[in-house]
């Protein structure tokens, strides 16, 4: 469900607002709504968070990537009271970036002057000072290098980009391009670059060594985030005379707790129901069995609006089905389960057995998704795209022929689509009842199944559109036309009736859209089969064939596995957040409820707003 909210206005003495915020943080029940105007303290707190975020990014990159791939912005100046470890990491990162820039400049000079070879530019300068000019030149390969009189012209090198040489004792002939002398001889440039490369590796190694401290640094970032939240609230509490106040929303079930705390603290509080059109945060509390899906919503960055419905249950159920059908392979499902188990083991080891709620929920989700994929793969007899004859006998009997018939599987996709959309419309009807508008939603149910029968009659071999289907469609459209709007709404929203034909066609398109489950799932199976055939059909000696087979199978199935993951993000998410949500009326325009929990004790370590 979406938890009911109440708007809270809290008043306290201006001299006691620090204590008031401390008690609010302890309660952890209020989502503060405030207009933030940046002050010096707020900007300082934000900079503190950014410093720690940068340190975390540095460690992540340095510990997982080659040492030449660390690219970050230079950090701002350090502030009083900063964590020494964070300061050291950012200082190393700054030195790394400076060194990398020096190496880049040296590499450019080395590349530029290598065609002329190793010589000492000081000697050339001394000759020039004694009246004997020395000029480096470059010419195109197609150009003729002229001879010179009373001087020396020597070609020192040639490559695909041109001809390189030097003229001594005379002016540079026409047609040749002069190149300034280098600052340092080539061998010195290369030596300096190599020394800097070793220095760069040293910095990267030191940064990577901080990986063991990543947990503590992330905790520091959370602490600083709370500091920033506290300072933003504290500095932006409106004050009138000696009274300050703060506004926000609380879980309606905690109203008594807030009132009791107000009585003991000497606050003034005003509680009211949210007003129409007011922007209210959303707190989702699905039934415990389906609660892990909230982690998926957070990962996708979607939240239903406060006045919308909590679609967690149908989202979880159908997303799991879609996940299984899009991957469609029991072998891949087993890999998902194994990777999830490995991730759980590593996460527990890193967190010393104390996993966050978000982590536990994500692990549960992937166990469910992997289990559903295994079940669907077993039922369809699909194991890494293996030929049916190669599947062990104890697994073959568990498959269902229905799931291997393209005609039937398309009908299954259309059926899932009709069911999915029907859940949305039936839900709408239940909410609207006893208003007559619920009959319009019943009409939409009839349209959905009429469109389903029309689509199946066209696409699915052997399916015949029933004679009564026409009557169902007519009656359904009449219900929509007659009851979708009250008489008082006709003037303002009557255009919706005129748009009804397009909306009905759109409904047909929504059902057809579910055929993507068949198309993408089939493509995944065929890709796996083709890589298997490619590996098995290699005409090589056995000692070459075996490693080549392993390489093709690992790379091929790995690519197919990754593409399957992308298809989940594109198709399974779309069917839930667009087709289903469009029918249900969920716009995903909400924002999550985030109770204020920053403590005064944390702030004292960075800044003291009261001082």
């Amino acid at each position: 469900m979406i938890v009911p909210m109440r708007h809270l206005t809290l008043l306290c003495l201006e001299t006691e607002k620090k204590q008031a915020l401390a008690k609010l943080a302890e309660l952890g029940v209020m989502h503060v709504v405030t207009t933030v105007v940046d002050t010096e303290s707020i900007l300082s707190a934000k900079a503190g968070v950014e410093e720690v975020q940068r340190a975390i990014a540095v460690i992540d990159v340095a510990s997982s990537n080659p040492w030449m791939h660390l690219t970050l912005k230079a950090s701002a100046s350090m502030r009083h009271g900063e964590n020494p470890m964070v300061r050291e990491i950012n200082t190393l990162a700054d030195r790394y970036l400076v060194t990398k820039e020096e190496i880049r400049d040296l590499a450019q000079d080395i590349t530029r002057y290598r065609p002329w070879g190793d010589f000492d530019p000081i000697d050339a300068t001394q000759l020039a000072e004694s009246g004997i000019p020395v000029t480096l030149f470059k010419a195109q390969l197609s150009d003729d290098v002229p001879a010179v009189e009373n001087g020396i012209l020597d070609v020192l090198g040639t490559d695909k980009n041109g001809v390189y040489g030097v003229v001594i004792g005379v002016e540079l002939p026409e047609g040749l391009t002069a190149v300034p002398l280098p600052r340092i001889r080539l061998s010195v440039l290369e030596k300096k670059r190599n020394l800097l490369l070793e220095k760069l590796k040293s910095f990267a190694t030191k940064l990577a060594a901080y990986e063991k401290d990543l947990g503590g640094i992330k905790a520091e970032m959370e602490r600083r985030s709370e500091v920033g939240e506290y300072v933003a609230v504290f500095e932006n509490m409106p004050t009138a005379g000696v009274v300050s106040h703060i506004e926000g929303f609380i879980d309606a079930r905690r109203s008594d707790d807030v009132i009791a705390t107000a009585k003991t603290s000497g606050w003034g509080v005003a509680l009211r129901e949210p007003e129409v059109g007011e922007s209210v945060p959303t707190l989702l509390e699905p039934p415990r069995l389906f609660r892990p899906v909230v982690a998926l919503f957070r990962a996708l960055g979607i939240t239903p609006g406060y006045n919308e419905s909590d679609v967690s249950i149908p989202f979880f159920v159908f997303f799991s089905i879609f996940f299984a059908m899009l991957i469609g392979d029991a072998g891949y499902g087993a890999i998902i389960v194994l990777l999830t188990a490995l991730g759980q083991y590593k996460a527990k080891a890193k967190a010393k057995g104390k996993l966050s709620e978000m982590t536990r929920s994500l692990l549960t989700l992937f166990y469910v998704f992997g289990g559903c994929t295994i079940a669907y793969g077993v039922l369809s007899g699909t194991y890494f795209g293996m030929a049916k004859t190669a599947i062990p006998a104890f697994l073959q009997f568990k498959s269902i022929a229905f799931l291997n018939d393209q005609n039937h599987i398309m009908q299954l996709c259309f059926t899932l689509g009709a069911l999915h959309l029907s859940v949305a419309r039936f839900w709408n009807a239940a909410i609207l009842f006893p208003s007559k508008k619920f009959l319009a939603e019943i009409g939409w149910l009839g349209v959905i199944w009429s469109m389903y029968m029309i689509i199946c009659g066209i696409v699915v071999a052997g399916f015949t559109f029933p004679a009564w289907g026409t009557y169902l469609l007519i009656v359904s459209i009449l219900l929509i036309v007659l009851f979708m709007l009250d008489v008082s709404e006709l003037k303002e929203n009557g255009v919706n009736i005129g748009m009804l034909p397009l909306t009905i066609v759109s409904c047909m398109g929504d059902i057809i859209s579910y055929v993507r489950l068949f198309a993408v799932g089939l493509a995944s199976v065929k890709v796996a089969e083709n890589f298997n055939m490619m590996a098995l059909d290699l005409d090589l000696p056995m000692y070459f064939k075996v490693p080549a087979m392993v390489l093709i199978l690992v790379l091929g199935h790995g690519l197919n596995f990754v593409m399957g993951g992308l298809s989940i993000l594109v198709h399974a998410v779309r069917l839930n957040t667009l087709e289903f949500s469009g029918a249900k009326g969920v716009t995903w325009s909400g924002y999550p409820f985030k109770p204020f929990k920053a403590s005064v004790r944390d702030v004292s370590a960075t800044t003291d707003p009261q001082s």
Side-chain angles (χ1 to χ4, degrees):
M1 70 171 183
I2 293 180
V3 176
M5 292 283 150
R6 298 190 75 183
H7 183 277
L8 169 66
T9 302
L10 184 150
L11 296 92
C12 66
L13 292 176
E14 194 275 337
T15 56
E16 295 180 0
K17 64 180 183 179
K18 187 172 185 178
Q19 292 83 349
L21 288 181
K23 289 187 178 180
L24 270 181
E26 186 179 350
L27 279 175
V29 298
M30 184 178 184
H31 180 108
V32 176
V33 178
T34 182
T35 301
V36 176
V37 178
D38 286 340
T39 64
E40 183 177 348
S41 296
I42 293 173
L43 293 175
S44 176
K46 288 181 179 178
V49 174
E50 290 170 0
E51 286 293 329
V52 183
Q53 288 175 333
R54 181 177 187 267
I56 292 172
V58 168
I59 296 171
D60 285 339
V61 174
S63 62
S64 61
N65 290 313
W67 54 272
M68 284 296 290
H69 294 280
L70 183 60
T71 54
L72 297 160
K73 293 181 180 179
S75 66
S77 59
M78 302 303 170
R79 291 167 311 285
H80 174 70
E82 182 176 335
N83 183 293
M85 188 183 298
V86 172
R87 185 190 303 114
E88 175 65 20
I89 292 169
N90 283 311
T91 300
L92 280 172
D94 287 338
R95 294 171 67 186
Y96 179 101
L97 293 174
V98 170
T99 304
K100 189 174 182 180
E101 187 66 21
E102 291 176 355
I103 291 172
R104 187 187 67 82
D105 292 341
L106 287 172
Q108 288 179 345
D109 286 345
I110 291 169
T111 301
R112 183 180 185 185
Y113 290 106
R114 179 171 282 126
W116 284 276
D118 185 27
F119 65 91
D120 193 342
I122 295 177
D123 294 340
T125 302
Q126 290 174 347
L127 283 174
E129 291 174 350
S130 65
I132 304 174
V134 178
T135 308
L136 302 182
F137 73 83
K138 178 182 179 182
Q140 299 298 320
L141 286 173
S142 57
D143 296 341
D144 292 328
V145 179
V148 297
E149 297 180 1
N150 303 320
I152 300 172
L153 187 152
D154 193 6
V155 174
L156 302 175
T158 304
D159 62 20
K160 63 180 181 180
N161 296 316
V163 177
Y164 308 89
V166 62
V167 173
I168 302 174
V170 294
E171 296 296 325
L172 189 70
E174 292 186 5
L176 302 180
T177 303
V179 177
L181 290 167
R183 296 175 292 106
I184 307 173
R185 68 184 303 158
L186 183 64
S187 58
V188 174
L189 288 174
E190 291 177 335
K191 183 177 180 180
K192 188 174 181 181
R193 182 196 61 179
N194 292 335
L195 290 173
L196 288 177
L197 285 172
E198 291 300 319
K199 189 177 180 181
L200 195 72
K201 291 180 182 179
S202 173
F203 290 151
T205 301
K206 290 178 180 179
L207 289 170
Y210 280 104
E211 184 182 15
K212 66 181 187 302
D213 303 303
L214 199 54
I217 296 173
K218 288 182 177 179
E220 172 72 5
M221 186 182 70
E222 292 178 5
R223 188 192 70 80
R224 292 195 182 198
S225 296
E226 286 195 356
V227 168
E229 181 184 2
Y230 177 90
V231 173
V233 172
F234 183 93
E235 301 244 338
N236 288 279
M237 282 183 68
T239 300
V242 297
V243 177
S244 294
H245 75 274
I246 186 171
E247 296 185 41
F249 294 91
I250 64 168
D251 179 344
R253 299 169 299 185
R254 301 294 302 274
S255 299
D256 291 341
D257 295 338
V258 173
I259 292 172
T261 304
K263 288 179 178 179
T264 59
S265 304
W267 301 338
V269 295
L271 288 167
R272 62 169 173 80
E273 297 298 323
E275 297 175 349
V276 176
E278 195 168 21
S279 179
V280 184
T282 302
L283 175 59
L284 286 175
E285 280 193 5
R288 183 170 296 277
L289 182 63
F290 301 95
R291 200 159 294 174
V293 79
V294 175
L296 180 60
F297 292 162
R298 290 179 186 171
L300 295 173
I302 57 176
T303 304
Y306 175 72
N307 292 311
E308 296 175 349
S309 299
D310 178 8
V311 294
S312 302
I313 295 176
F315 196 110
F316 195 2
V317 171
F318 281 95
F319 191 93
S320 300
I321 295 171
F322 299 158
F323 191 108
M325 294 182 69
L326 288 167
I327 302 298
D329 191 297
Y332 290 176
I335 290 176
I336 292 171
V337 171
L338 291 174
L339 288 176
T340 304
L342 178 62
Q344 182 178 13
Y345 173 78
K346 287 189 173 182
K348 281 187 174 181
K350 198 169 186 179
K352 297 180 180 179
K354 296 179 181 179
L355 298 180
S356 67
E357 182 180 354
M358 179 73 167
T359 301
R360 291 197 304 270
S361 295
L362 288 174
L363 290 170
T364 301
L365 284 176
F366 280 101
Y367 277 128
V368 172
F369 296 156
C372 289
T373 304
I374 292 173
Y376 185 83
V378 169
L379 293 175
S380 63
T382 308
Y383 302 86
F384 294 111
M386 294 166 55
K388 302 300 179 184
T389 54
I391 299 174
F394 74 93
L395 293 176
Q396 285 185 11
F397 80 94
K398 295 180 180 179
S399 63
I400 300 175
F402 176 90
L403 294 177
N404 290 296
D405 182 279
Q406 293 187 14
N407 196 54
H408 289 154
I409 199 69
M410 281 195 292
Q411 184 175 358
L412 174 62
C413 292
F414 296 139
T415 304
L416 280 172
L419 285 171
H420 202 199
L421 299 176
S422 295
V423 169
R425 293 297 180 179
F426 185 80
W427 194 343
N428 290 342
I431 292 173
L432 289 170
F433 185 82
S435 167
K436 290 185 293 185
K437 286 186 178 182
F438 96 92
L439 292 172
E441 294 297 327
I442 298 300
W444 277 114
L445 280 171
V447 168
I448 288 170
W449 288 100
S450 298
M451 294 299 105
Y452 166 79
M453 291 185 288
I454 290 172
I455 294 167
C456 289
I458 297 172
V459 177
V460 179
F463 186 96
T464 303
F465 184 80
W468 51 266
T470 303
Y471 301 108
L472 173 63
L473 181 58
I474 293 172
V475 172
S476 299
I477 293 175
L478 285 174
L479 286 173
I480 296 171
V481 172
L482 293 173
F483 300 107
M484 67 181 295
L485 296 173
D486 292 330
V487 175
S488 60
E489 297 174 319
L490 288 175
K491 184 177 180 179
E492 185 176 350
N493 300 315
V495 67
N496 292 338
I497 296 178
M499 296 292 291
L500 187 58
L502 292 177
T503 310
I504 291 174
V505 172
S506 177
C507 177
M508 175 184 283
D510 287 345
I511 296 174
I512 293 174
S513 183
Y514 285 78
V515 80
R516 69 183 66 227
L517 299 172
F518 157 73
V520 176
L522 178 64
S524 178
V525 173
K526 292 302 179 184
V527 168
E529 290 177 353
N530 286 330
F531 276 115
N532 291 344
M533 292 174 60
M534 189 186 305
L536 294 173
D537 292 346
L538 289 174
D539 186 16
L540 294 171
M542 188 59 65
Y543 48 84
F544 285 136
K545 183 174 182 177
V546 171
M549 283 177 59
V550 172
L551 182 62
I552 290 173
L553 291 174
V554 170
L555 292 179
H557 285 286
L559 175 63
N560 198 29
F561 188 78
V562 171
M563 293 301 294
L566 293 176
S567 72
I568 299 300
L569 292 176
V570 174
H571 303 297
V573 172
R574 174 202 164 100
L575 292 174
N576 277 285
T577 58
L578 191 60
E579 276 79 3
F580 172 79
S581 297
K584 181 64 191 73
V586 176
T587 62
W588 301 101
S589 58
Y591 61 100
F593 176 81
K594 184 182 178 183
F596 177 75
K597 294 183 178 179
S599 68
V600 178
R601 182 180 59 257
D602 288 331
V603 176
S604 63
T606 299
T607 182
D608 186 3
Q610 192 70 31
S611 61

